[in-house]
Amino acid sequence: MAPYEPSSDWQFDVPTTGSKRLPPTGRSFEALAHQGYGFEAAIADLIDNSIDARAHNVVVSFLRDTGERGGLDRVVGLLVVDDGDGMDDAGLDTAMTIGGREKYAPGALGRFGAGLKAASLSHADALTVISRTKRSPSTGRRWLTAHAQVDFTCDIVDAKYCQDLVDRYDGVIGWQGTIVRWDQVRAFETITDGQTDRYLNDAIERLETHLGLYLHRFLSRDDFHIDIVVEDVHTREELDHRGVEPIDPFGYRIPGRAGFPRTYVAPVVGAGDIPLTAHIWPPKSPLVAYRGIGPLSERQGFYLYRNERLVQAGGWNGTRSPEGHLALARIAVDLPSASNDVFSLTVKKDGVQVTPAFARGLEQAVDPASGHTFAAYLQEAGITYREAARRRTEVRRKEMIPPGKGIDPKVKRALRDELPQLEGEEPITFAWAKLDTPDGRDSGELLFTIDHKERRVVLNKDYRQAFNGDRHGGSNDAPVLKSLLYLMLNEIFQKERVWANQTDKIALWNSVLVAAARAELDRTDS
């Protein structure tokens, strides 16, 4: 290399005189743990790895110590368990190395080689990964931020413990799979005494919505399932169990305007022709997929997918500002699989940065079949919104206290679709138990009692068989009975106290429902 000679001309290449290696220090781990991952986005990133490992079943388990063996009721950790391909020692070392994986298969959701570590350490001070394949035994590694920040030391987990934990979840893992374990989760350690139930309900509701939305294309398949459970860390009893349902942001029944959805093609320099599938939602839709996934001003615009995974849910990417009259406009865009300089995915997979070339492409976007322009679509979306706003207001259903633990997630989704919810209210929960009747009444005369203060409906477990038959009764069983009681009792729970006429209603309902349950049991026995 010729030595640099001063010149008045601009140097298009910066002159160098050699190179030296500057490895990262332990503090880079601290930077990794401050990537700004939200809790739900972090869990979704872990499940991306499960999908890449061809998992069919994923279980997110909140580990709870109820305090019945002494101490406080608290959440002590979290696991993500899958039945994917698993990893051997070498594969696990690569997975636990920051940026360790350099190549991904076509269609993979992983990209930067940092998601597992960044997502986990943003929330937990201890990350353990245990895995096994069909051909290799269980193995494990653990990052402790306190050690990693000093010298990047990663612990090797005891092989017997690895196998013990795999055996504990053999209902999911079988011959192969992976367990991601979070300990010292910072949010869990801030839960105050007596607030564990509320924290878990709120956290699971948000997680259920996030996963249902961002992974909805995977969840709509018959061979992929995500369950969220709360597990008693001592007894292994499931204290709550919810199956995650897909939330399709384009899942309306009838479009808001005839002729839609319509696909436009935008010629984007540097990325090629980009199809834009434009939808107009029906005005004033009560569906969760419209109203229940965030503020409408934030959910209008582009829904960007990368390899079937939603990576941006709404927003105009700088091409225009959110406007109230565009609340019905949503556009699905599948990003090109080939690398390009126009679309840049964030590390957290929660947004896409675009260059001005995208905006120029939108200006030229048309429906090839009709010549209808993308600009005309935006006008029609706005007209649809304004026309609906001028119409007489439709009948509005009364707001309800939200459904809580004990009601099947599918029923919860239907209730939220059909009924406006009272925000910030403690939910109505359901549980089976031996009824306590201190006034000397025969508990067999009651199908249920209510705890008005705690917003809890207690069902008489002596009648559980009438509603489950020979099926195993889980925490979300008897959906028809619980749905009816939810609708019947909601108004009573909204009152400050239970009045005499309401007490009489409860007595009436108990009398009729007990007779019905006994009739059902008689039919079963005969």
Side-chain angles (χ1 to χ4, degrees):
M1 181 182 296
Y4 169 66
E5 294 291 340
S7 170
S8 60
D9 295 332
W10 175 255
Q11 298 294 315
F12 287 93
D13 291 321
V14 175
T16 61
T17 59
S19 61
K20 65 187 302 184
R21 186 172 181 271
L22 299 173
T25 67
R27 286 200 65 192
S28 63
F29 238 85
E30 185 177 350
L32 191 72
H34 291 82
Q35 293 290 313
Y37 266 95
F39 180 79
E40 298 82 24
I43 299 299
D45 216 331
L46 300 186
I47 296 176
D48 287 347
N49 294 333
S50 300
I51 293 171
D52 282 349
R54 301 187 295 182
H56 296 291
N57 297 285
V58 180
V59 176
V60 181
S61 180
F62 291 81
L63 302 176
R64 181 173 182 177
D65 182 346
T66 61
E68 293 183 2
R69 299 192 181 186
L72 297 175
D73 180 7
R74 60 199 181 105
V75 185
V76 298
L78 180 141
L79 303 176
V80 176
V81 186
D82 72 49
D83 62 354
D85 291 338
M87 295 172 281
D88 57 16
D89 269 305
L92 191 51
D93 284 342
T94 299
M96 294 294 272
T97 300
I98 299 172
R101 188 169 179 178
E102 297 180 358
K103 294 183 179 180
Y104 287 89
L109 302 183
R111 184 166 186 179
F112 300 106
L116 169 65
K117 287 75 66 178
S120 299
L121 297 174
S122 291
H123 295 275
D125 285 330
L127 163 65
T128 303
V129 180
I130 291 170
S131 193
R132 66 164 295 169
T133 71
K134 287 183 177 179
R135 296 180 177 82
S136 63
S138 302
T139 187
R141 300 289 184 270
R142 181 184 69 169
W143 278 117
L144 293 177
T145 54
H147 293 170
Q149 289 173 1
V150 175
D151 58 4
F152 281 95
T153 300
C154 184
D155 299 323
I156 300 172
V157 181
D158 184 276
K160 291 182 179 179
Y161 172 76
C162 293
Q163 188 58 49
D164 284 346
L165 195 61
V166 167
D167 289 344
R168 180 181 175 110
Y169 295 98
D170 61 359
V172 180
I173 290 181
W175 290 102
Q176 61 187 24
T178 298
I179 301 171
V180 178
R181 170 176 169 169
W182 288 3
D183 291 293
Q184 301 171 44
V185 181
R186 292 183 282 279
F188 295 172
E189 294 174 356
T190 66
I191 303 171
T192 57
D193 189 27
Q195 293 298 308
T196 304
D197 275 325
R198 181 166 187 171
Y199 172 85
L200 283 172
N201 187 70
D202 291 346
I204 293 173
E205 291 282 354
R206 291 193 302 270
L207 181 59
E208 190 179 0
T209 298
H210 185 93
L211 297 179
L213 175 62
Y214 283 84
L215 301 176
H216 73 90
R217 288 187 176 178
F218 297 97
L219 289 164
S220 64
R221 302 173 182 174
D222 293 334
D223 63 348
F224 182 73
H225 310 278
I226 301 174
D227 292 279
I228 304 173
V229 304
V230 178
E231 175 187 347
D232 186 311
V233 74
H234 297 298
T235 67
R236 299 181 59 185
E237 176 188 359
E238 285 188 357
L239 306 175
D240 196 0
H241 188 146
R242 311 185 195 184
V244 179
E245 295 293 321
I247 302 176
D248 184 352
F250 306 97
Y252 48 77
R253 299 181 181 95
I254 300 173
R257 196 170 188 87
F260 289 90
R262 189 190 295 266
T263 299
Y264 302 85
V265 176
V268 179
V269 176
D273 290 342
I274 304 297
L276 313 169
T277 305
H279 298 251
I280 297 178
W281 264 83
K284 302 177 183 179
S285 173
L287 297 180
V288 167
Y290 179 65
R291 294 189 177 277
I293 58 174
L296 294 180
S297 62
E298 297 177 7
R299 292 311 188 204
Q300 60 182 259
F302 297 110
Y303 285 69
L304 303 177
Y305 294 83
R306 175 179 173 269
N307 297 333
E308 299 295 291
R309 205 265 208 199
L310 183 63
V311 293
Q312 179 179 303
W316 294 103
N317 296 87
T319 61
R320 63 185 310 114
S321 299
E323 300 176 55
H325 65 273
L326 290 178
L328 306 177
R330 292 182 179 178
I331 307 100
V333 183
D334 286 281
L335 298 178
S337 56
S339 178
N340 63 83
D341 296 326
V342 178
F343 301 99
S344 178
L345 179 67
T346 64
V347 174
K348 296 177 288 182
K349 301 175 192 168
D350 61 353
V352 176
Q353 297 173 341
V354 301
T355 67
F358 182 55
R360 303 292 81 78
L362 293 179
E363 294 172 356
Q364 304 172 56
V366 296
D367 175 359
S370 65
H372 195 268
T373 66
F374 185 75
Y377 154 70
L378 295 175
Q379 291 177 347
E380 292 197 42
I383 291 170
T384 306
Y385 178 87
R386 292 188 179 102
E387 288 176 346
R390 287 195 295 267
R391 296 190 201 116
R392 183 178 298 175
T393 304
E394 76 279 11
V395 175
R396 181 168 175 81
R397 292 168 177 166
K398 185 179 178 181
E399 292 181 323
M400 305 280 270
I401 298 172
K405 186 165 61 175
I407 296 183
D408 188 277
K410 293 179 181 178
V411 177
K412 285 186 187 178
R413 190 77 65 201
L415 289 168
R416 291 181 189 130
D417 280 349
E418 297 294 342
L419 295 165
Q421 305 286 299
L422 288 167
E423 299 295 336
E425 292 285 340
E426 291 284 354
I428 297 173
T429 62
F430 289 79
W432 294 94
K434 187 74 175 177
L435 294 189
D436 183 17
T437 54
D439 56 0
R441 293 181 63 188
D442 179 5
S443 64
E445 298 176 3
L446 300 173
L447 180 65
F448 69 92
T449 61
I450 69 170
D451 185 331
H452 188 266
K453 182 179 179 182
E454 298 295 327
R455 289 188 176 166
R456 187 166 180 254
V457 180
V458 183
L459 301 166
N460 190 339
K461 70 176 185 179
D462 291 339
Y463 291 112
R464 195 170 193 176
Q465 184 184 354
F467 301 96
N468 289 319
D470 295 329
R471 299 185 301 273
H472 173 70
S475 59
N476 298 325
D477 63 358
V480 174
L481 171 65
K482 291 175 179 177
S483 299
L484 288 172
L485 289 175
Y486 169 82
L487 295 171
M488 293 159 59
L489 295 168
N490 208 290
E491 184 176 358
I492 293 175
F493 279 114
Q494 291 187 44
K495 305 291 185 182
E496 291 186 6
R497 54 171 292 187
V498 181
W499 299 95
N501 65 328
Q502 295 162 341
T503 301
D504 182 65
K505 280 185 180 180
I506 293 173
L508 169 64
W509 295 334
N510 261 303
S511 178
V512 174
L513 290 172
V514 163
R518 287 174 175 170
E520 185 65 36
L521 289 172
D522 289 342
R523 290 167 62 89
T524 303
D525 293 337
S526 61

